[in-house]
Amino acid sequence: MASSVLSLASATPSASLSSHEIEKGKLNLGNSSLCFKKEKTNPFMKTKSVGRISMAVASNVSRFEAITMAPPDPILGVSEAFKADNHELKLNLGVGAYRTEELQPYVLDVVKKADKLLLEKGENREYLPIEGLAAFNKVTAELLFGADNPVIKQQRVATVQGLSGTGSLRLAAALIERYFSGAKVLISSPTWGNHKNIFNDARVPWSEYRYYDPKTVGLDFEGMIADIKAAPEGSFILLHGCAHNPTGIDPTPEQWETIADVIQEKNHIPFFDIAYQGFASGSLDADASSVRMFVARGMEVIAAQSYSKNLGLYAERIGAINVVCSSSDAAARVKSQLKRIARPMYSNPPVHGARIVASIVGDATLFKEWNAEMEMMAGRIMNVRQKLFDSLSSKDKSGKDWSFVLKQIGMFSFTGLNKAQCDNMTNKWHVYMTKDGRISLAGLSLAKCEYLADAIIDSYHNFPLMVASNKDHMPLLFLIENALHSLTTHLCLATDAQVYWLWES
Ligand code: KET
């Protein structure tokens, strides 16, 4: 009988095997059953060793049988569902991607100009060095920290071009896993959904600090400070540099100072994710002020940047990881290790987006044009925010206070709608959004604000969760939902680690 080999390490957590099952040597997979045993003692089946455990399956069963279907991504999966809907009023407020008033994707004029210049220059397509394009790394650090920042002059920043914000965060996570074994990353509750995936995949333990207060629909500043204080000394504190995703709630400058005080007292390491520089206020400098304040205090800081949003370079995958160190010597060593991590992952990064950023930020005229376009994009979102608030306030006669919509900043509004209400938004109104109640205002037009307000009001008032008919229960439900979410993620991580352990041992 033909046989094939399955690797245990490739099994997803839900398809993982208990040690009991391994001893018994049998696993049921729907209609087929899978046999496996320790290597050496199987005289009848032709198996090949993959690590210590090998399995043989009948030839009519896929070698990938043990792989279960992954759920759709909570953010990017929304765009897939949107595409499949043919309703004329459908609205995609899922992914944070800027659209024009006509709800079309937008390529910045300054990017088109840079593109043309690059084409005329006829640049080659040679590999980049592992750390990326030197001209890009120079301007990206300058854009974040300020060109005159002493840390740049003193060569205390290790900058490596990454695969946009996500890839840059992933590099930093790998660095933490490798050199700060057991150190915890603290992430805000809630946060961008992919943060948890990034640290899970890098096998970096994380826990949450309080951030959003559903009662005030604002920042739970006391909770945040208490949780950062309570974290083990030397933890990494993940902070959204500006325009917090998904809540749209940022600390005030005074609150940032207190956050820095506590982080310094506890010897924690601030780890910024700044994916929306320019989108909070319309000013690239103002939006970098939180990061710059920490650096000005002489702290060592990690900061992951993205050009997906502020230059609309989503598909170019262009961003960077910066590690500000207390000496140029340490920065050089950190950079060498970041390169060492990148090399076996993807070898070296793509060149086109890096050239675009370098030519725009490095040219005074183009840079000025970018700033103007950035302001225009941020301004359009602010107008839409205002119109949505006006529509909600004039249409909803219940007396509910919708002013949180105006208080939030950046691309998103965190509506406070629960999962059932979000389902109603999509199923009845064809409004596609993430199930945490976030809507991307960057995907909304002035013309669609009234329709969206109708959808939100209907979902809020007519589609309460069974237990939550009294809206006072909402904060509690939110907490329960959040706690369950956290628990499942941690369980998944634990199960995953067990499979990994079985494989290693
Ligand atoms: N950080 C944050 C906070 C963030 O919202 C995103 C993307 C990223 C990093 C990474 O973006 P990148 O394109 O890798 O540079 N957020 C939007 C898209 C996504 O989920 O991938 C979003 O929240 O819709």
Side-chain angles (χ1 to χ4, degrees):
M1 196 204 309
S3 64
S4 51
V5 179
L6 275 181
S7 150
L8 257 189
S10 69
T12 56
S14 57
S16 65
L17 312 176
S18 68
S19 48
H20 170 70
E21 285 168 317
I22 288 172
E23 260 158 42
K24 272 177 82 182
K26 235 188 183 159
L27 174 70
N28 284 326
L29 291 167
N31 297 332
S32 11
S33 93
L34 185 73
C35 307
F36 52 90
K37 61 199 294 303
K38 293 232 166 165
E39 193 62 10
K40 296 194 298 227
T41 51
N42 183 354
F44 306 112
M45 283 188 170
K46 227 174 121 195
T47 57
K48 199 174 148 213
S49 172
V50 177
R52 303 257 170 95
I53 301 168
S54 51
M55 297 182 236
V57 296
S59 58
N60 61 346
V61 175
S62 166
R63 293 181 194 199
F64 306 105
E65 201 63 37
I67 297 177
T68 55
M69 185 63 82
D73 182 80
I75 298 177
L76 299 185
V78 173
S79 298
E80 289 169 30
F82 172 79
K83 270 189 204 137
D85 186 337
N86 291 323
H87 201 275
E88 54 176 343
L89 290 174
K90 70 175 180 172
L91 206 49
N92 186 5
L93 308 182
V95 70
Y98 183 82
R99 298 278 180 272
T100 61
E101 181 60 27
E102 293 70 43
L103 298 184
Q104 293 307 307
Y106 179 59
V107 180
L108 274 74
D109 286 338
V110 73
V111 168
K112 285 185 194 153
K113 276 192 191 165
D115 251 340
K116 200 163 160 266
L117 288 172
L118 289 174
L119 200 67
E120 281 162 14
K121 263 194 185 167
E123 306 255 22
N124 65 47
R125 296 290 192 270
E126 292 278 294
Y127 287 133
L128 280 182
I130 304 170
E131 72 261 38
L133 187 72
F136 166 79
N137 286 346
K138 179 178 180 297
V139 298
T140 197
E142 289 176 354
L143 189 79
L144 181 58
F145 303 113
D148 298 330
N149 200 311
V151 291
I152 293 181
K153 297 221 166 73
Q154 294 157 5
Q155 301 188 311
R156 290 203 279 119
V157 192
T159 302
V160 168
Q161 182 186 332
L163 302 180
S164 211
T166 308
S168 304
L169 288 162
R170 186 65 178 78
L171 280 182
L175 188 81
I176 293 172
E177 192 272 336
R178 202 167 277 192
Y179 291 100
F180 298 84
S181 179
K184 214 156 85 162
V185 175
L186 256 77
I187 56 185
S188 64
S189 173
T191 193
W192 176 49
N194 215 17
H195 281 148
K196 295 176 183 175
N197 298 334
I198 288 169
F199 294 112
N200 282 348
D201 278 6
R203 299 188 183 280
V204 172
W206 55 266
S207 63
E208 294 177 311
Y209 60 82
R210 279 167 281 173
Y211 192 85
Y212 175 69
D213 181 354
K215 277 194 250 111
T216 59
V217 200
L219 180 64
D220 178 358
F221 186 60
E222 267 95 69
M224 177 183 188
I225 292 294
D227 291 346
I228 294 176
K229 265 191 188 158
E233 186 131 333
S235 296
F236 290 83
I237 313 296
L238 190 74
L239 302 159
H240 297 225
C242 64
H244 183 272
N245 177 7
T247 64
I249 301 159
D250 281 359
T252 62
E254 296 72 40
Q255 288 172 331
W256 273 122
E257 294 281 354
T258 312
I259 294 165
D261 286 343
V262 179
I263 290 181
Q264 234 166 347
E265 270 162 35
K266 290 285 315 222
N267 256 323
H268 295 323
I269 301 176
F271 179 174
F272 282 94
D273 176 359
I274 176 151
Y276 298 91
Q277 190 180 349
F279 258 110
S281 65
S283 153
L284 289 158
D285 278 326
D287 286 1
S289 57
S290 57
V291 177
R292 290 180 191 178
M293 184 270 285
F294 277 69
V295 173
R297 283 175 170 237
M299 297 169 82
E300 299 194 299
V301 168
I302 303 181
Q305 293 170 278
S306 165
Y307 291 92
S308 291
K309 328 278 175 167
N310 53 15
L311 264 177
L313 294 176
Y314 308 92
E316 296 293 350
R317 311 310 296 143
I318 178 67
I321 185 73
N322 302 271
V323 184
V324 180
C325 302
S326 56
S327 71
S328 59
D329 191 46
R333 283 182 275 114
V334 167
K335 186 165 178 170
S336 73
Q337 292 298 342
L338 286 169
K339 285 163 64 176
R340 192 181 186 189
I341 291 168
R343 171 67 169 144
M345 269 193 196
Y346 56 85
S347 192
N348 48 72
V351 72
H352 192 63
R355 281 186 181 141
I356 293 176
V357 177
S359 45
I360 293 173
V361 184
D363 178 286
T365 315
L366 292 182
F367 186 60
K368 219 169 142 206
E369 282 183 44
W370 177 29
N371 276 271
E373 274 189 285
M374 183 72 255
E375 251 176 66
M376 181 278 290
M377 291 191 291
R380 195 190 85 73
I381 297 175
M382 286 175 199
N383 290 343
V384 162
R385 195 180 275 289
Q386 181 67 50
K387 174 92 190 274
L388 177 64
F389 166 75
D390 292 344
S391 310
L392 285 165
S393 306
S394 64
K395 282 170 179 278
D396 183 16
K397 306 292 178 215
S398 75
K400 180 177 164 51
D401 179 8
W402 294 99
S403 63
F404 67 87
V405 174
L406 287 183
K407 286 184 200 134
Q408 298 166 344
I409 55 168
M411 271 196 167
F412 303 107
S413 178
F414 202 49
T415 61
L417 294 177
N418 62 40
K419 190 181 167 300
Q421 292 165 335
C422 294
D423 285 342
N424 185 58
M425 293 283 287
T426 306
N427 299 339
K428 179 172 170 188
W429 294 88
H430 304 268
V431 174
Y432 287 79
M433 61 190 287
T434 53
K435 299 290 177 225
D436 57 0
R438 183 190 89 170
I439 51 176
S440 169
L441 296 182
L444 181 64
S445 61
L446 289 172
K448 294 278 188 177
C449 282
E450 301 233 331
Y451 177 76
L452 179 64
D454 287 335
I456 292 176
I457 292 166
D458 172 58
S459 304
Y460 185 80
H461 291 297
N462 304 329
F463 217 89
L465 241 154
M466 293 77 72
V467 244
S469 51
N470 175 353
K471 297 286 184 315
D472 291 343
H473 293 148
M474 288 296 294
L476 180 63
L477 275 168
F478 180 85
L479 288 178
I480 295 171
E481 263 191 54
N482 231 7
L484 280 176
H485 180 76
S486 255
L487 186 68
T488 0
T489 326
H490 278 103
L491 280 178
C492 281
L493 182 61
T495 328
D496 205 21
Q498 200 182 348
V499 177
Y500 187 69
W501 176 82
L502 268 173
W503 176 243
E504 292 279 289
S505 57

